[in-house]
Amino acid sequence: MRDEQITAALLDWYDRHARVMPWRVGPGERRAGVRPDPYAVWLSEVMLQQTTVAAVRDYFRRFTARWPTVGDLAAAEDGDVMGEWAGLGYYARARNLLKCARVVAGEHGGRFPDSRAELLKLPGIGPYTASAVAAIAFDRPETVLDGNVERVISRLRLVETPLPAAKPELTDLAGELTPVERPGDYAQAVMDLGATICTPKSPACGICPWREPCLARAAGVQADLPRKAPKKAKPVRYGIAYLARRADGAWLLERRPESGLLGGMLGWPGSEWGEAPEEAPPVAAEWQDVGAEVRHTFTHFHLRLALRVAEVPEGVRPERGSFLPRDRFRPSDLPTVMRKAFDLAATARRD
DNA sequence: AATACGTGGTT
DNA sequence: TAACCAAGTAT
């Protein structure tokens, strides 16, 4: 099967099976002349970095409802954007999202650059996202290489080199199949294929548009590709978080430093997270031990977070953090681990 | 090149 | 239950 036929077979499949997404201009619409909004494409692509479509859907809708244009987002308060991103994870994305919006609004007249090279210069836009926005929003013949494409191409071409060493080779192989016509549809088609047919564990080869040319399937090794280096075990870290409620219902919270874990997000003041944390109460009070701990897993460690709660009178001055009035505190503004702590403390207080 | 960086669904 | 995995980027 020639490369052009392989490409055509996938586009043909995409025309019939493209998934519907709030940010996507489907193949039919595109054919009718509808062009995607680059802002929507960029926003969705950043949200989709290492994140499932299901998790992104509602966040995308809330963001675009609240900030319909890149100019609106650029003018937003940092805390509002971080709060709206809360729960989606990888919070550097939200910080870079704002930086990027402000560069586009301030230095590019509110229009996203339409070339991969220019997009690559923007904060939070790396090789994948630059190609994705160039291809999907501007129909540039750029090649996307994400986890889906790595899997699909390593199987199609029987690439046995383990990741991430195989990336350059996979980039070349993927590039050979990228068409000059409909590159935006093609980019989305390969990713849809990887997400729905050519899945990690049990690929549905029987209904795959590439079942004939697929070398891994011919060899019967499709489920073993791509090869990857084994992952390191996650250590367990321990920490203590302090939830202080003032008599008027305000909660003691702090804005975390801009860099590092949960950077820029709201959180409960607490100890360091390590082997044996020391008590670090942010305000003098009668702290009560909550008889349960939050268990939460981050990318590279497991956390067991002990909780202390206290009721404090109005007028106290905390050593760390500041009191957020009851009507300005939304638990949904917290990153998940901090929201878990709030939920658990609330449950324990009722018991 | 290797590591830091979240979370929730699936197996 | 625990490992695996998802439309990666920055350093």
Side-chain angles (χ1 to χ4, degrees), chain A residues 317-339:
Chain A
R317 308 290 291 200
E319 291 171 36
R320 293 173 55 192
S322 50
F323 283 97
L324 197 57
R326 194 219 305 262
D327 60 355
R328 287 207 292 130
F329 170 58
R330 297 189 306 168
S332 64
D333 285 343
L334 300 175
T336 299
V337 64
M338 301 295 175
R339 189 181 46 70

Side-chain angles (χ1 to χ4, degrees), chain A residues 125-170:
Chain A
I125 297 187
Y128 164 76
T129 306
S131 286
V133 174
I136 298 169
F138 300 110
D139 240 0
R140 298 285 187 128
E142 301 291 355
T143 302
V144 296
L145 189 74
D146 72 332
N148 289 303
V149 183
E150 288 170 357
R151 185 170 59 254
V152 169
I153 298 299
S154 67
R155 288 171 176 173
L156 178 70
R157 301 308 201 193
L158 193 55
V159 174
E160 305 256 23
T161 314
L163 286 167
K167 278 197 176 195
E169 183 182 356
L170 290 170

Side-chain angles (χ1 to χ4, degrees), chain A residues 247-311:
Chain A
D248 64 355
W251 289 96
L252 182 59
L253 287 151
E254 67 181 4
R255 181 70 60 183
R256 297 173 62 90
E258 277 296 300
S259 65
L261 192 68
L262 309 179
M265 300 299 292
L266 281 179
W268 307 107
S271 69
E272 297 297 300
W273 294 350
E275 299 268 334
E278 291 177 18
E279 296 286 343
V283 62
E286 282 195 29
W287 290 101
Q288 310 244 341
D289 188 356
V290 173
E293 63 184 10
V294 171
R295 290 193 177 205
H296 189 78
T297 298
F298 292 99
T299 311
H300 51 299
F301 66 93
H302 301 287
L303 177 67
R304 294 185 190 179
L305 191 61
L307 304 181
R308 311 272 186 265
V309 297
E311 307 278 345

Side-chain angles (χ1 to χ4, degrees), chain A residues 57-120:
Chain A
R57 272 206 164 85
D58 288 346
Y59 282 87
F60 177 83
R61 278 194 268 260
R62 283 195 293 267
F63 265 73
T64 50
R66 188 165 178 181
W67 301 294
T69 71
V70 69
D72 297 323
L73 183 58
E77 299 283 342
D78 290 33
D80 289 341
V81 174
M82 300 313 287
E84 207 63 75
W85 194 278
L88 199 54
Y90 282 140
Y91 298 100
R93 294 185 295 172
R95 303 193 299 270
N96 286 326
L97 189 82
L98 249 180
K99 284 184 197 160
C100 183
R102 287 169 181 164
V103 171
V104 170
E107 299 176 23
H108 297 274
R111 269 187 267 276
F112 280 86
D114 64 359
S115 73
R116 181 183 193 279
E118 287 299 311
L119 287 160
L120 204 43

Side-chain angles (χ1 to χ4, degrees), chain A residues 160-192:
Chain A
E160 305 256 23
T161 314
L163 286 167
K167 278 197 176 195
E169 183 182 356
L170 290 170
T171 302
D172 287 347
L173 292 170
E176 291 169 3
L177 294 172
T178 301
V180 177
E181 298 286 331
R182 307 183 63 193
D185 280 346
Y186 177 79
Q188 295 174 95
V190 202
M191 295 190 284
D192 271 19

